[in-house]
């Protein structure tokens, strides 16, 4: 597959009264054409900031891209102006925002909000806009689309609002769809319906998808690759199967163990990750995860771990997998 999106050593900081927050610290990953990539991690790990930076939607100031590149379809988006990005957002890259309950303008009808995308990016007018809006609402599973176009967001349930946001995001058949926590604030049944809808649309439109989530259950049934982020960095990346069945980073182990299982004994408590994420104004030296890691060694507290690459692009940044540490382990075991 050809590469559609490539982030290289992306760094994003936010200036605050307390200091400079290093929200994204050297993120690198790729998305191929037609591929679904999930970015997972705890709240505050940099997932959403990374997604918003791809769209150049971070508020500037206080946010700023310190360094790195965002190559989309062969073009670097990082230096582009807001006017240049306005031609790409919605047309080439669609985005589903986090909270469907607040993402729509409550003072405008659904038709006004959906139609604006088509008028601006596709130049449609009059009857052509109406027909395309009806088609889009049918595609996302909304009944009686003609009537619904005249209604306001408060007349829609949370699940239906999310379907409208999906319709807006795919209106121009984008090459890339960024779904930022698309199931937030929805009940479990509706979550499953929304993810099934996204999966069907991805196959139908052959678009690439970047899914931002902390729900590993959603990831397992939808994505082809998984990027695990912690403290603004990518700590592990690989195919979904590799990450779930052959995870190499202690943080990834913790995420997987903290997910409840259907076959789990009710008396058996969940295994949360102890501690709390680090302060990104003053990140700890070495590996950012070491204060919470049961496998931490002295070297973890002093030096950032090297990146180790396994088969099929499975990579991890952890001293446990470093060749130097493995050689020392073998030597000690042989004494």
């Amino acid at each position: 597959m050809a590469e559609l999106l490539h982030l290289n050593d992306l760094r994003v900081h936010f200036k605050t009264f307390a200091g400079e927050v290093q929200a994204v610290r050297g993120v690198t990953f790729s998305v191929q054409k037609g591929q679904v990539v999930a970015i997972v991690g705890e709240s505050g790990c940099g997932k959403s900031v990374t997604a918003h930076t791809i769209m150049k939607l971070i508020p500037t100031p206080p946010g700023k891209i310190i360094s790195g590149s965002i190559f989309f379809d062969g073009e670097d988006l990082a230096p582009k102006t807001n006017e240049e990005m306005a031609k790409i957002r919605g047309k080439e890259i669609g985005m589903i925002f986090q909270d469907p309950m607040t993402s729509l303008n409550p003072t405008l009808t659904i038709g006004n909000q959906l139609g604006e995308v088509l008028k601006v990016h596709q130049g449609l007018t009059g009857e052509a806009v109406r027909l395309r809006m009806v088609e889009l609402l049918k595609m996302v599973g909304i009944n009686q689309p003609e009537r619904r176009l005249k209604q306001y967001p408060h007349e829609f349930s949370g699940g239906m609002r999310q379907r409208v946001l999906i319709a807006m995001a795919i209106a121009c058949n984008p090459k890339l769809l960024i779904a930022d926590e698309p199931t937030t604030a929805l009940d479990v049944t509706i979550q499953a319906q929304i993810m099934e809808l996204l999966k069907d649309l991805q196959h139908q439109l052959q678009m690439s998808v970047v899914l931002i989530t902390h729900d590993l259950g959603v990831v397992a049934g939808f994505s082809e690759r998984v990027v695990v982020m912690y403290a603004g960095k990518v700590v592990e990346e690989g195919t979904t199967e590799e990450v779930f069945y052959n995870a190499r980073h202690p943080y990834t182990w913790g995420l997987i163990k903290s997910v409840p299982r259907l076959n789990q004994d009710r008396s058996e408590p969940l295994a949360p990750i102890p501690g709390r994420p680090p302060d990104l104004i003053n990140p700890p030296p070495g590996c950012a995860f070491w204060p919470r890691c049961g496998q931490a060694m002295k070297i973890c507290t002093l030096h950032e771990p090297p990146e180790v690459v396994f088969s099929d692009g499975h990579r991890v940044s952890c001293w446990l997998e470093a060749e130097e540490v493995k050689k020392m382990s073998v030597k000690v075991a042989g004494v």
Side-chain angles (χ1 to χ4, degrees):
M1 290 187 288
E3 188 175 82
L4 179 66
L5 177 71
H6 179 74
L7 274 62
N8 183 46
D9 195 30
L10 183 65
R11 297 175 186 272
V12 181
H13 293 186
F14 289 86
K15 287 188 177 180
T16 70
F17 291 114
E20 195 161 318
V21 179
Q22 301 174 39
V24 175
R25 305 190 297 147
V27 166
T28 298
F29 69 87
S30 298
V31 180
Q32 308 299 313
K33 290 183 178 178
Q35 188 179 52
V36 180
V37 174
I39 305 178
V40 303
E42 294 170 291
S43 295
C45 72
K47 307 185 303 293
S48 292
V49 174
T50 300
H52 283 74
T53 304
I54 294 170
M55 296 281 281
K56 297 292 294 289
L57 287 175
I58 59 169
T60 306
K64 184 180 180 182
I65 297 175
I66 301 299
S67 64
S69 56
I70 309 166
F71 276 95
F72 172 72
D73 209 16
E75 264 190 294
D76 189 3
L77 304 183
K80 287 191 178 296
T81 64
N82 193 50
E83 290 73 23
E84 290 172 325
M85 283 301 300
K87 298 175 183 178
I88 297 173
R89 297 189 201 111
K91 184 178 181 181
E92 303 289 333
I93 307 176
M95 187 165 185
I96 305 168
F97 293 94
Q98 207 169 103
D99 187 358
M101 307 306 287
T102 59
S103 295
L104 292 168
N105 189 328
T107 66
L108 297 175
T109 65
I110 298 302
N112 282 335
Q113 297 182 65
L114 183 54
E116 184 180 4
V117 180
L118 300 169
K119 292 172 185 176
V120 170
H121 291 297
Q122 294 195 324
L124 300 182
T125 57
E127 183 67 7
V129 174
R130 189 190 66 81
L131 291 174
R132 178 58 176 161
M133 289 193 296
V134 168
E135 180 187 8
L136 286 166
L137 292 187
K138 286 180 179 178
M139 284 176 69
V140 298
I142 292 180
N143 295 324
Q144 299 179 303
E146 294 273 11
R147 180 170 70 88
R148 292 296 190 179
L149 287 172
K150 300 172 184 176
Q151 294 182 327
Y152 290 84
H154 73 268
E155 299 177 79
F156 286 63
S157 66
M160 289 184 69
R161 292 190 204 187
Q162 192 64 291
R163 289 174 186 270
V164 171
L165 289 172
I166 293 171
M168 292 172 69
I170 65 167
C172 300
N173 296 328
K175 297 174 184 176
L176 174 67
L177 176 67
I178 299 174
D180 186 7
E181 302 273 12
T183 56
T184 296
L186 303 177
D187 63 53
V188 177
T189 305
I190 303 302
Q191 285 182 17
Q193 292 175 4
I194 293 298
M195 292 313 301
E196 194 61 38
L197 172 62
L198 283 175
K199 186 186 294 186
D200 291 344
L201 290 171
Q202 190 269 330
H203 285 301
Q204 183 179 337
L205 301 175
Q206 289 298 298
M207 60 187 172
S208 301
V209 177
V210 173
L211 172 67
I212 313 292
T213 184
H214 59 264
D215 189 338
L216 292 182
V218 167
V219 170
F222 186 59
S223 68
E224 297 167 55
R225 293 189 67 80
V226 178
V227 175
V228 182
M229 286 188 67
Y230 183 77
K233 288 177 172 284
V234 174
V235 295
E236 185 163 7
E237 181 191 359
T239 65
T240 303
E241 186 174 346
E242 285 171 328
V243 171
F244 271 81
Y245 296 105
N246 191 28
R248 301 295 187 102
H249 198 284
Y251 178 61
T252 312
W253 302 341
L255 290 177
I256 293 171
K257 287 179 181 177
S258 64
V259 176
R261 301 184 306 276
L262 291 175
N263 62 351
Q264 187 172 349
D265 189 335
R266 289 187 179 182
S267 62
E268 181 185 344
L270 289 175
I273 301 172
R276 55 189 297 178
D279 176 9
L280 291 183
I281 293 177
N282 296 297
C287 173
F289 188 61
W290 77 258
R292 308 173 68 188
C293 180
Q295 310 288 324
M297 303 171 285
K298 186 174 181 180
I299 194 171
C300 303
T301 69
L302 300 174
H303 304 286
E304 287 196 11
E307 184 176 273
V308 181
V309 180
F310 305 99
S311 61
D312 196 24
H314 185 187
R315 60 189 175 105
V316 65
S317 295
C318 181
W319 279 112
L320 290 174
E321 299 296 337
E323 199 61 38
E324 306 93 304
V325 172
K326 288 190 171 184
K327 285 179 181 177
M328 287 176 62
S329 302
V330 171
K331 186 176 179 181
V332 170
V335 172

